PDB file of all heavy atoms in Angstrom:
ATOM      1  N   VAL A 479      -6.436   1.607  -5.681  1.00  0.00           N
ATOM      2  CA  VAL A 479      -7.700   1.245  -6.270  1.00  0.00           C
ATOM      3  C   VAL A 479      -8.199  -0.044  -5.721  1.00  0.00           C
ATOM      4  O   VAL A 479      -7.435  -1.044  -5.738  1.00  0.00           O
ATOM      5  CB  VAL A 479      -7.516   1.088  -7.854  1.00  0.00           C
ATOM      6  CG1 VAL A 479      -8.818   0.743  -8.478  1.00  0.00           C
ATOM      7  CG2 VAL A 479      -6.957   2.405  -8.412  1.00  0.00           C
ATOM      8  N   ALA A 480      -9.439  -0.084  -5.189  1.00  0.00           N
ATOM      9  CA  ALA A 480      -9.992  -1.285  -4.585  1.00  0.00           C
ATOM     10  C   ALA A 480     -10.194  -2.358  -5.596  1.00  0.00           C
ATOM     11  O   ALA A 480     -10.187  -2.181  -6.779  1.00  0.00           O
ATOM     12  CB  ALA A 480     -11.293  -0.927  -3.837  1.00  0.00           C
ATOM     13  N   ARG A 481     -10.473  -3.554  -5.090  1.00  0.00           N
ATOM     14  CA  ARG A 481     -10.739  -4.682  -5.967  1.00  0.00           C
ATOM     15  C   ARG A 481     -11.891  -4.510  -6.927  1.00  0.00           C
ATOM     16  O   ARG A 481     -11.898  -5.032  -7.981  1.00  0.00           O
ATOM     17  CB  ARG A 481     -10.912  -5.976  -5.157  1.00  0.00           C
ATOM     18  CG  ARG A 481      -9.617  -6.592  -4.737  1.00  0.00           C
ATOM     19  CD  ARG A 481      -9.794  -7.860  -3.909  1.00  0.00           C
ATOM     20  NE  ARG A 481      -8.572  -8.656  -3.863  1.00  0.00           N
ATOM     21  CZ  ARG A 481      -7.475  -8.251  -3.179  1.00  0.00           C
ATOM     22  NH1 ARG A 481      -7.523  -7.185  -2.372  1.00  0.00           N
ATOM     23  NH2 ARG A 481      -6.379  -8.998  -3.192  1.00  0.00           N
ATOM     24  N   ASN A 482     -12.884  -3.723  -6.458  1.00  0.00           N
ATOM     25  CA  ASN A 482     -14.043  -3.488  -7.348  1.00  0.00           C
ATOM     26  C   ASN A 482     -13.743  -2.528  -8.461  1.00  0.00           C
ATOM     27  O   ASN A 482     -14.530  -2.298  -9.384  1.00  0.00           O
ATOM     28  CB  ASN A 482     -15.233  -3.019  -6.545  1.00  0.00           C
ATOM     29  CG  ASN A 482     -14.988  -1.707  -5.812  1.00  0.00           C
ATOM     30  OD1 ASN A 482     -14.068  -0.981  -6.096  1.00  0.00           O
ATOM     31  ND2 ASN A 482     -15.819  -1.418  -4.834  1.00  0.00           N
ATOM     32  N   GLY A 483     -12.586  -1.859  -8.386  1.00  0.00           N
ATOM     33  CA  GLY A 483     -12.181  -0.982  -9.454  1.00  0.00           C
ATOM     34  C   GLY A 483     -12.832   0.422  -9.442  1.00  0.00           C
ATOM     35  O   GLY A 483     -12.468   1.307 -10.189  1.00  0.00           O
ATOM     36  N   THR A 484     -13.789   0.596  -8.575  1.00  0.00           N
ATOM     37  CA  THR A 484     -14.555   1.861  -8.496  1.00  0.00           C
ATOM     38  C   THR A 484     -14.213   2.706  -7.285  1.00  0.00           C
ATOM     39  O   THR A 484     -14.323   3.965  -7.405  1.00  0.00           O
ATOM     40  CB  THR A 484     -16.036   1.618  -8.502  1.00  0.00           C
ATOM     41  OG1 THR A 484     -16.453   0.825  -7.384  1.00  0.00           O
ATOM     42  CG2 THR A 484     -16.451   0.899  -9.820  1.00  0.00           C
ATOM     43  N   ASP A 485     -13.882   2.084  -6.171  1.00  0.00           N
ATOM     44  CA  ASP A 485     -13.520   2.836  -4.991  1.00  0.00           C
ATOM     45  C   ASP A 485     -12.041   3.124  -4.977  1.00  0.00           C
ATOM     46  O   ASP A 485     -11.143   2.228  -4.980  1.00  0.00           O
ATOM     47  CB  ASP A 485     -13.901   2.053  -3.750  1.00  0.00           C
ATOM     48  CG  ASP A 485     -15.393   1.916  -3.559  1.00  0.00           C
ATOM     49  OD1 ASP A 485     -16.157   2.755  -4.093  1.00  0.00           O
ATOM     50  OD2 ASP A 485     -15.817   0.901  -2.983  1.00  0.00           O
ATOM     51  N   ILE A 486     -11.665   4.396  -4.977  1.00  0.00           N
ATOM     52  CA  ILE A 486     -10.274   4.819  -4.996  1.00  0.00           C
ATOM     53  C   ILE A 486      -9.946   5.627  -3.718  1.00  0.00           C
ATOM     54  O   ILE A 486     -10.595   6.637  -3.500  1.00  0.00           O
ATOM     55  CB  ILE A 486      -9.976   5.699  -6.274  1.00  0.00           C
ATOM     56  CG1 ILE A 486     -10.321   4.922  -7.487  1.00  0.00           C
ATOM     57  CG2 ILE A 486      -8.492   6.158  -6.204  1.00  0.00           C
ATOM     58  CD1 ILE A 486     -10.125   5.672  -8.786  1.00  0.00           C
ATOM     59  N   THR A 487      -9.058   5.092  -2.948  1.00  0.00           N
ATOM     60  CA  THR A 487      -8.532   5.775  -1.732  1.00  0.00           C
ATOM     61  C   THR A 487      -7.375   6.627  -2.124  1.00  0.00           C
ATOM     62  O   THR A 487      -6.330   6.161  -2.609  1.00  0.00           O
ATOM     63  CB  THR A 487      -8.170   4.829  -0.668  1.00  0.00           C
ATOM     64  OG1 THR A 487      -9.297   3.930  -0.329  1.00  0.00           O
ATOM     65  CG2 THR A 487      -7.777   5.535   0.581  1.00  0.00           C
ATOM     66  N   VAL A 488      -7.570   7.978  -1.929  1.00  0.00           N
ATOM     67  CA  VAL A 488      -6.509   8.900  -2.216  1.00  0.00           C
ATOM     68  C   VAL A 488      -5.814   9.317  -0.925  1.00  0.00           C
ATOM     69  O   VAL A 488      -6.483   9.639   0.013  1.00  0.00           O
ATOM     70  CB  VAL A 488      -7.084  10.162  -3.006  1.00  0.00           C
ATOM     71  CG1 VAL A 488      -6.012  11.187  -3.188  1.00  0.00           C
ATOM     72  CG2 VAL A 488      -7.729   9.743  -4.242  1.00  0.00           C
ATOM     73  N   TYR A 489      -4.516   9.277  -0.924  1.00  0.00           N
ATOM     74  CA  TYR A 489      -3.709   9.697   0.236  1.00  0.00           C
ATOM     75  C   TYR A 489      -3.105  11.047   0.018  1.00  0.00           C
ATOM     76  O   TYR A 489      -2.254  11.174  -0.867  1.00  0.00           O
ATOM     77  CB  TYR A 489      -2.654   8.637   0.603  1.00  0.00           C
ATOM     78  CG  TYR A 489      -3.289   7.296   0.898  1.00  0.00           C
ATOM     79  CD1 TYR A 489      -3.623   6.407  -0.082  1.00  0.00           C
ATOM     80  CD2 TYR A 489      -3.499   6.922   2.253  1.00  0.00           C
ATOM     81  CE1 TYR A 489      -4.167   5.139   0.212  1.00  0.00           C
ATOM     82  CE2 TYR A 489      -4.048   5.698   2.522  1.00  0.00           C
ATOM     83  CZ  TYR A 489      -4.378   4.756   1.486  1.00  0.00           C
ATOM     84  OH  TYR A 489      -4.906   3.621   1.806  1.00  0.00           O
ATOM     85  N   SER A 490      -3.537  11.970   0.811  1.00  0.00           N
ATOM     86  CA  SER A 490      -3.083  13.367   0.621  1.00  0.00           C
ATOM     87  C   SER A 490      -2.627  13.956   1.971  1.00  0.00           C
ATOM     88  O   SER A 490      -2.775  13.303   2.977  1.00  0.00           O
ATOM     89  CB  SER A 490      -4.195  14.192  -0.043  1.00  0.00           C
ATOM     90  OG  SER A 490      -3.732  15.490  -0.410  1.00  0.00           O
ATOM     91  N   GLY A 491      -2.166  15.134   1.954  1.00  0.00           N
ATOM     92  CA  GLY A 491      -1.765  15.822   3.181  1.00  0.00           C
ATOM     93  C   GLY A 491      -1.326  17.217   2.906  1.00  0.00           C
ATOM     94  O   GLY A 491      -1.443  17.780   1.817  1.00  0.00           O
ATOM     95  N   PRO A 492      -0.782  17.894   3.973  1.00  0.00           N
ATOM     96  CA  PRO A 492      -0.376  19.268   3.781  1.00  0.00           C
ATOM     97  C   PRO A 492       0.877  19.521   2.969  1.00  0.00           C
ATOM     98  O   PRO A 492       1.260  20.658   2.728  1.00  0.00           O
ATOM     99  CB  PRO A 492      -0.195  19.740   5.200  1.00  0.00           C
ATOM    100  CG  PRO A 492       0.209  18.495   5.956  1.00  0.00           C
ATOM    101  CD  PRO A 492      -0.601  17.401   5.286  1.00  0.00           C
ATOM    102  N   GLY A 493       1.527  18.407   2.593  1.00  0.00           N
ATOM    103  CA  GLY A 493       2.754  18.558   1.820  1.00  0.00           C
ATOM    104  C   GLY A 493       3.962  18.791   2.717  1.00  0.00           C
ATOM    105  O   GLY A 493       3.915  18.519   3.927  1.00  0.00           O
ATOM    106  N   ASP A 494       5.001  19.376   2.221  1.00  0.00           N
ATOM    107  CA  ASP A 494       6.243  19.658   2.958  1.00  0.00           C
ATOM    108  C   ASP A 494       6.094  20.896   3.794  1.00  0.00           C
ATOM    109  O   ASP A 494       6.902  21.868   3.616  1.00  0.00           O
ATOM    110  CB  ASP A 494       7.408  19.685   1.997  1.00  0.00           C
ATOM    111  CG  ASP A 494       8.738  19.581   2.694  1.00  0.00           C
ATOM    112  OD1 ASP A 494       8.757  19.220   3.922  1.00  0.00           O
ATOM    113  OD2 ASP A 494       9.774  19.952   2.078  1.00  0.00           O
ATOM    114  N   VAL A 495       5.158  20.928   4.726  1.00  0.00           N
ATOM    115  CA  VAL A 495       4.930  22.090   5.565  1.00  0.00           C
ATOM    116  C   VAL A 495       4.879  21.593   6.995  1.00  0.00           C
ATOM    117  O   VAL A 495       4.192  20.667   7.327  1.00  0.00           O
ATOM    118  CB  VAL A 495       3.545  22.772   5.247  1.00  0.00           C
ATOM    119  CG1 VAL A 495       3.345  24.016   6.137  1.00  0.00           C
ATOM    120  CG2 VAL A 495       3.514  23.216   3.799  1.00  0.00           C
TER     121      VAL A 495
END
Side-chain angles (χ1 to χ4, degrees):
V479 181
R481 277 181 163 73
N482 60 18
T484 59
D485 294 331
I486 301 178
T487 303
V488 177
Y489 296 85
S490 188
D494 193 15
V495 181

